[in-house]
Amino acid sequence: MAEVIDLGEFGDAFRTDPHPVYAKLRALGPVHRVRPPGSDGDYWTWLVVGHKEARAALADPRLSKDGSRIGVTFLDEELIGRYLLLTDPPEHTRLRGLVSRAFTMRRVEALRPRIQEITDDLLDAMLPLGRADLVESFAYQLPITVICELLGVPEMDRTEFRKLSTEVVAPISSQSNYDAVVRLAEYLTELIEDKRCAGPTDDLLGDLVRTTAEDGDRLSPQELRGMAFVLLIAGHETTVNLITSGVHALLTHPDQLAALRADMTLVDGAVEEILRYEGPVENATFRYAAEPLEIAGTPVEKGDPVMIGLTAADRDAARYPAPDRFDIRRDTGGHVAFGHGIHYCLGAPLARLEARTAIRSLLERAPALTLDGPSGDWLPGMLIRGLRSLPVRW
Ligand code: HEM
């Protein structure tokens, strides 16, 4: 059995900049046994760090997301209900079918003018200030407003919601994580009840309450809560970091910023490079071996946890030459920032549209945009990669 590499031994440097650690691991091989920082007891997981191996693992049906196949119940499942990222086919196929019916390209495309309008309003409010925390004033506000409007979440305490959802994806402790999931479950239960009572509404959650497939299938109340949970959390915790890390990467690479400013048609490619270079999802959500298998020649036993390193895969020199260079014109084809296979991100078209609109509009309206002192901390944990704050002036 391979030795366990304790990632906690790399200290705070691993949270601030995990790329050199992943590079060391990749140099040793594509798959390792690791102990994530702050793990309880003698917990360990497999970690896949090679690009080719990560893509294969993401598409491997033997790597399951359904705890019941290995006799485990996850906290989210107990408190919220089963949702897309906790299920395998055929249950996953059924849930995804019901939501993609409501979450169509047409609905996303129809949001384009509204996304531009929200972006313009946020910039109208921020730009007269001369300096701001980009996360607080812009990068967080855009995706949370869009996802709330899309789902039809009328008024919510966004400060509280932000605290709770950040705690869900980047927990400070297991107790605070538990408390946050409990509070979100209560909140979502009330929200869905209100939707049910409200009569027909022209929003995604209203659609989901009413969605019935041709065979009469529909989401149960627990499934609805799970769906609302994954859409609300995934719908903004990631996009806020795509915008923030993108602006950070551009401001710390003046040649790339100048190239983009000189030719804004490069913005689509720039967003793909931001996804590859500093993707918001550092490691995919957990999978477990539902049967014994080999990953890149390494034997993995039934029940073993497997983490797939998206950030690590997207900096693999075997796929991307000079992978640590931020280059908005490079070929980013095949990056795994949105995952791969049946769990490929449902919100990828929306996230791309938001990030392209946000970055283009910000650069156009703030020609002298620059960093304003040190950035905030990088978020803890190995799931989400993002800055807590990004002070800028213009
Ligand atoms: C930059 C922004 C985003 C990134 C980087 C991202 C990344 C990802 C990744 C890596 C996965 C797969 C996880 C795995 O296989 O373990 C995923 C799944 C998912 N994402 Fe996103 N996401 C983003 C934005 C969004 C948005 C805006 C929404 C919704 C509005 C969304 C909804 C979902 C859902 C529902 C799934 C689960 C799909 C399934 O299991 O079939 N995401 N996302």
Side-chain angles (χ1 to χ4, degrees), residues 33-93:
R33 274 200 324 153
V34 301
R35 196 176 134 72
S39 302
D40 295 329
D42 52 5
Y43 178 83
W44 61 269
T45 169
W46 293 106
L47 175 65
V48 182
V49 291
H51 183 266
K52 192 174 70 184
E53 294 78 10
R55 277 182 77 91
L58 285 164
D60 192 328
R62 296 169 300 176
L63 293 177
S64 165
K65 301 196 67 45
D66 180 348
S68 70
R69 279 172 77 181
I70 52 153
V72 175
T73 310
F74 301 110
L75 174 69
D76 290 7
E77 182 179 339
E78 251 172 58
L79 298 175
I80 305 270
R82 292 169 72 77
Y83 58 88
L84 287 168
L85 287 168
L86 296 179
T87 54
D88 292 341
E91 186 180 0
H92 174 266
T93 321

Side-chain angles (χ1 to χ4, degrees), residues 58 65 83-87 92 96 99 103 143 147 150-151 204 227 230-243 275 279-281 283-287 308 310 336-352 354-355 383:
L58 285 164
K65 301 196 67 45
Y83 58 88
L84 287 168
L85 287 168
L86 296 179
T87 54
H92 174 266
R96 182 130 176 165
V99 73
F103 203 88
I147 197 68
L150 184 70
L151 284 173
L204 187 70
M227 196 65 90
V230 73
L231 288 172
L232 266 173
I233 304 273
H236 82 280
E237 274 302 336
T238 46
T239 315
V240 55
N241 296 313
L242 178 57
I243 298 169
L275 284 159
V281 181
N283 292 282
T285 55
F286 265 102
R287 280 151 175 84
I308 303 170
L310 306 180
V336 287
F338 287 121
H340 177 60
I342 61 166
H343 294 282
Y344 182 80
C345 179
L346 191 69
L350 178 60
R352 286 186 161 118
E354 287 182 38
L383 178 61

Side-chain angles (χ1 to χ4, degrees), residues 122-181:
L122 289 169
L123 291 175
D124 288 346
M126 184 181 91
L127 291 176
L129 303 176
R131 64 203 303 183
D133 168 14
L134 193 81
V135 178
E136 194 61 45
S137 302
F138 187 60
Y140 171 69
Q141 303 297 340
L142 175 63
I144 191 74
T145 308
V146 171
I147 197 68
C148 285
E149 287 192 9
L150 184 70
L151 284 173
V153 177
E155 291 147 35
M156 63 149 70
D157 180 343
R158 290 196 187 166
T159 315
E160 193 203 355
F161 181 77
R162 182 181 177 197
K163 273 217 308 264
L164 292 176
S165 75
T166 306
E167 193 47 41
V168 168
V169 297
I172 295 172
S173 73
S174 38
Q175 183 60 47
S176 59
N177 179 255
Y178 178 85
D179 295 344
V181 178

Side-chain angles (χ1 to χ4, degrees), residues 353-371:
L353 180 57
E354 287 182 38
R356 291 168 183 171
T357 309
I359 290 173
R360 196 191 50 242
S361 302
L362 175 68
L363 295 184
E364 279 172 357
R365 291 190 55 190
L369 189 74
T370 177
L371 293 177

